[in-house]
Amino acid sequence: MSTYTDIKTLQFILFEVLGFKEVLELDRYADHDKESALMLINSVKDLSDKELYPFFREMDEAPAHYRDGEIIVHPQVKEYIAKSGELGLIAAPFGYEEGGMQLPQVLVSAVAWIQECANNHLPNYSGLTQAAANLIDHFGNDHLKNTYFPRMLTGEWTGTMCLTEPQAGSSLSDIVSTATPSGDHYLIKGQKIFISGGDFKGSENIVHLLLARIEGAPAGTRGISLFVVPKYRPEEGGDATFNDVNVIGDYQKMGQRGYCTTHLSFGDQNDCRGWLVGEPHQGLKYMFMMMNEARIAVGRGAAGIAMAASKASLQYAKERPQGRPVEDGGNKDVQKEQTLIINHPDVKRMLQYQKAISEGSLYLVLLSSKYYDLSMYHSDPEERQKYSSLLGLLTPITKTYPAEKGMTSVSNGLQVFGGYGYCQDFILQQYFRDIRIYSIYEGTTGIQSLDLLGRKITMKNGEAACALYGQINATLARAEKHAELEPYAQQLKGALDLNTEITTYLTGFAKEGNYRRFLADATVFMEFFGTLVMGWLWLDMAVSSSEKMNSTESSFSEDFYKSKVNTMKFFFKYEMTALPGLAETLKNGDMTTMENDLNVLF
């Protein structure tokens, strides 16, 4: 049961690297301390051992499915959501006055990550409910808050986000669902696809946050409004009426089969009522709050899967004997017993890669969550703005890096298992299938890359990038005090210079008005910039480890800290050295992807 996660590394990042104390110093979190955080972490680990991990494979083998007009899910879905409500996990980040525990978002992310390591299907149901409740709390009127918010925090009702339509896909400017005024509500009509947790037997009510157009609204995204559309609309006296929200079917997926994904139709009988959230035509602006939360959650889920796969691979490599080591003379002694595969250098390389990606991704997720806390509750407005800029810059990377590199990481795990990794008898094939969706959820890698290069890098004359450079330079200053780390600090400095060169080169096209060329290789830039950020995070972990090894206040063994330093060295050898090649690609003048004549390409 202990092999799916790494609580020691979580505690190391949270308490010794990240600067959790800085979050606890905010007035909002004055009631919390390290001891209470540890109690929560241990409690959630116990919950995950008992209520999540044991059902992980069952949920894959008995997937959610459509039958007789409803979605059937594993019985543990209902049990888990109820327990999440009872333990206050859904309400955790909300204020005391709202019935929450007023926990820092970084701690909320930490305990969610534990659950996602254990079973990446279940936490999505409650996590999406939490995000939907947060949106209603921020932008809904008193009627919406009083009607929906309390029962979503307890898990009695769950929530969704309904954006995508069959004809529009990710292009939200092309949605056609309509909202017609009718008294104190609107009549909703339209279809939504790929709705996670969109309908299932086990939730008393499902509260959809739906994007639609009011008649006469402006074209494009400027004309989109947001509505609360429940499956059952509450009536006075406590009764509830079916709200003409219909399940057309579900999507049978290659992975995350226990997490239902539905096709919904609204208003087939012209009796689907929705209530406007906030002001008309501001829906996409409101929804971006939930979408950005979801994007960090996607990165967190991918980081959890990568960690679980890494632990399973390491356990297997320590148990599986195969072959004999090559001696320095180039021979193998066939008279010797077979060695464990972990003793083969190439297997060590794959295991170290998994460790580097999974642990680095965890730090990236927690850092983004810390920036959220500081951007919301720091006492200094200028500091809030700085951390808001940093959060905006890191969000597309946090969503993308764990998903993309996590796929490669889990693939390395399959290779460690050899042929067994491809068989259903072992768990790695499920991790591989599950993680594949994460680079698609909440905007594909291409969409995130366009956001990073096209908006976040250039926004406010590069304000966010400058703030990030400040954070990186602080790590470099610390690293240069350690002789062992100084060469890696110089390597990272070189990467920063290269990034400045690339960014200047690419933004030059934008200044000329050539935006197609500016953004044509945005995904390559995402890989470049994400690797640079991860190099910084690993150097930061190595600095903290080196400092703790020379301290009398160490919480972990010397071997533990050495493993972090060694993983940093691994990352700089195998990943950071790819940056010059990526830079050459970004500067290359051959632009076949911009060729308009498809016949000469395909």
Side-chain angles (χ1 to χ4, degrees), residues 151 157 232-241:
R151 300 187 72 172
W157 295 355
Y232 296 101
R233 56 181 184 255
E235 306 284 3
E236 291 185 13
D239 295 331
T241 303

Side-chain angles (χ1 to χ4, degrees), residues 10-70:
L10 172 63
Q11 293 175 354
F12 164 67
I13 294 172
L14 197 58
F15 301 126
E16 296 190 358
V17 185
L18 181 73
F20 185 59
K21 183 179 179 181
E22 186 179 358
V23 175
L24 294 180
E25 289 172 350
L26 301 175
D27 289 344
R28 179 176 174 83
Y29 305 127
D31 292 342
H32 304 290
D33 55 25
K34 180 179 177 180
E35 287 67 34
S36 63
L38 284 169
M39 287 178 61
L40 179 65
I41 288 170
N42 292 332
S43 174
V44 171
K45 174 60 166 59
D46 184 61
L47 171 75
S48 300
D49 286 345
K50 296 174 181 176
E51 303 293 343
L52 286 95
Y53 189 69
F55 301 95
F56 178 50
R57 300 196 71 175
E58 279 185 27
M59 295 181 72
D60 181 69
E61 293 163 359
H65 59 280
Y66 175 79
R67 187 176 69 205
D68 298 331
E70 62 184 0

Side-chain angles (χ1 to χ4, degrees), residues 37-113:
L38 284 169
M39 287 178 61
L40 179 65
I41 288 170
N42 292 332
S43 174
V44 171
K45 174 60 166 59
D46 184 61
L47 171 75
S48 300
D49 286 345
K50 296 174 181 176
E51 303 293 343
L52 286 95
Y53 189 69
F55 301 95
F56 178 50
R57 300 196 71 175
E58 279 185 27
M59 295 181 72
D60 181 69
E61 293 163 359
H65 59 280
Y66 175 79
R67 187 176 69 205
D68 298 331
E70 62 184 0
I71 305 295
I72 310 300
V73 296
H74 193 285
Q76 187 62 16
V77 173
K78 182 178 180 179
E79 293 295 319
Y80 167 75
I81 294 173
K83 283 185 168 58
S84 294
E86 290 168 9
L87 294 173
L89 295 179
I90 300 175
F94 296 98
Y96 297 135
E97 71 281 1
E98 298 165 312
M101 292 194 284
Q102 204 159 299
L103 292 180
Q105 187 61 40
V106 66
L107 185 56
V108 172
S109 287
V111 296
W113 173 82

Side-chain angles (χ1 to χ4, degrees), residues 314-376:
L314 181 61
Q315 180 178 344
Y316 181 81
K318 288 180 175 179
E319 297 171 353
R320 169 68 171 171
Q322 185 173 302
R324 293 158 184 85
V326 178
E327 297 173 348
D328 287 341
N331 299 317
K332 297 181 181 180
D333 187 348
V334 296
Q335 301 302 319
K336 288 184 177 180
E337 292 186 0
Q338 293 192 90
T339 188
L340 296 174
I341 63 173
I342 196 170
N343 294 319
H344 297 302
D346 196 56
V347 173
K348 290 179 186 176
R349 177 188 60 79
M350 291 186 286
L351 293 170
Q352 282 185 281
Y353 181 84
Q354 288 186 269
K355 177 180 173 66
I357 298 303
S358 60
E359 294 183 10
S361 293
L362 171 60
Y363 185 11
L364 178 61
V365 167
L366 294 180
L367 182 64
S368 297
S369 300
K370 175 189 174 182
Y371 286 165
Y372 172 86
D373 287 323
L374 295 173
S375 72
M376 292 293 292

